């Protein structure tokens, strides 16, 4: 009888745990890969200490992002209830109370800051800057055209910079520019897809109404050009080095192919979920794998 009486409590705890996991958006945790970008580009990611420190930073930034997702869902709950898919989010559906979500945000943000503190003041400072920027985004910047795109892209740049400071590798200007323009390219494509997908996104994300398709296409073009030029200038500095290093120069071709292919997909209405397109489109997947292989050989066998 006692076990039967405990069953509802167990079910409730399981349901709450599932709701907290959904609220934390594990499908977005892959963004922490940006913390590995700088040490990978510097050719030190194969060193145990660098890999460990980058992983600690990735865990910390993931915890901070979870806090932002929770606060964002509390803030957007009224709008989410009018969206065909977002209405199923834990806060909007009533599966989780706003108070529980805010408490979860406080716990995960505090945990993230404690973890990142182990990596020194520079990395901690970037983590705080990331947290502040994303809080400003949730509570106002997301509704300001142009500024919202910059704020999202800045989140990726801060992750990339934190990966560098965490592992003690120098950050080149080209690396930061590739991170910035690359992030802008993805965000522009996402906004373009959201704007053309349905009227539901326009109702629940009012800033979309401020964007014209022509301006988003212009932003995509500018970001594409900036990403290509920045990466090209970084890669071609190795022209004339040993045979393996020159593969970094060759890597520009699949890199350019991947960007152009993704831009093409965006023009056809796709791109709302960039990470899904990578595995759905064969050309994009082959170009991405080729680029990664050339980069790996050029950096780690030279």
């Amino acid at each position: 009888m006692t076990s039967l009486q405990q069953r509802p409590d167990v079910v409730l705890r399981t349901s709450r745990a599932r709701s907290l996991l959904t609220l934390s958006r594990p499908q977005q945790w892959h963004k922490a890969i940006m913390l590995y970008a700088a040490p990978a580009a510097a050719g030190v990611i194969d060193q145990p200490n660098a890999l460990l420190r980058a992983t600690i930073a990735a865990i910390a930034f993931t915890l901070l992002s979870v806090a932002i997702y929770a606060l964002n869902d509390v803030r957007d709950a009224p709008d989410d209830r009018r969206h065909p898919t977002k209405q199923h989010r834990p806060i909007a559906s009533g599966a989780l109370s706003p108070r529980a979500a805010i408490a979860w945000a406080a716990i995960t943000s505090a945990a993230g800051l404690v973890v990142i503190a182990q990596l020194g003041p520079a990395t901690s400072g970037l983590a705080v800057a990331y947290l502040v920027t994303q809080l400003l985004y949730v509570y106002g910047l997301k509704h300001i055209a142009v500024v919202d795109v910059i704020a999202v892209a800045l989140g990726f740049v801060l992750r990339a910079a934190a990966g560098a400071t965490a592992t003690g590798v120098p950050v080149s200007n080209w690396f930061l520019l590739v991170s910035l323009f690359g992030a802008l390219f993805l965000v522009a494509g996402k906004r373009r897809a959201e704007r053309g997908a349905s009227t539901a996104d326009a109702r629940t994300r009012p800033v979309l109404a401020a964007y014209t398709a022509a301006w988003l296409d212009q932003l995509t073009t500018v970001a594409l050009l900036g990403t290509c030029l920045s990466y090209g200038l970084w890669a071609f500095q190795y022209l004339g080095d040993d045979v393996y290093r020159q593969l970094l120069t060759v890597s520009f071709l699949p890199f350019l192919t991947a960007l152009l292919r993704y831009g093409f997909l965006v023009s056809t209405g796709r791109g709302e979920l960039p990470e899904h397109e990578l595995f759905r489109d064969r050309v994009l997947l082959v170009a991405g794998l080729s680029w990664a292989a050339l980069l790996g050989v050029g950096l780690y066998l030279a």
Side-chain angles (χ1 to χ4, degrees), residues 180-193:
L180 175 60
F181 283 116
L184 279 175
F185 181 60
L186 292 176
V187 175
K190 184 176 176 63
R191 289 289 185 270
R192 185 72 170 84

Side-chain angles (χ1 to χ4, degrees), residues 10 17 20-21 31 33 56 59 96 115 117 146 153 164 202 235 244 249 253 260-262 264 286 298:
V10 173
L20 286 174
L21 180 61
K31 293 176 181 177
I33 198 172
I56 292 173
I59 292 172
L96 205 64
V115 171
V146 179
Y244 289 121
T249 305
L253 182 58
L260 291 176
R261 181 66 179 184
Y262 182 75
F264 166 73
V286 171

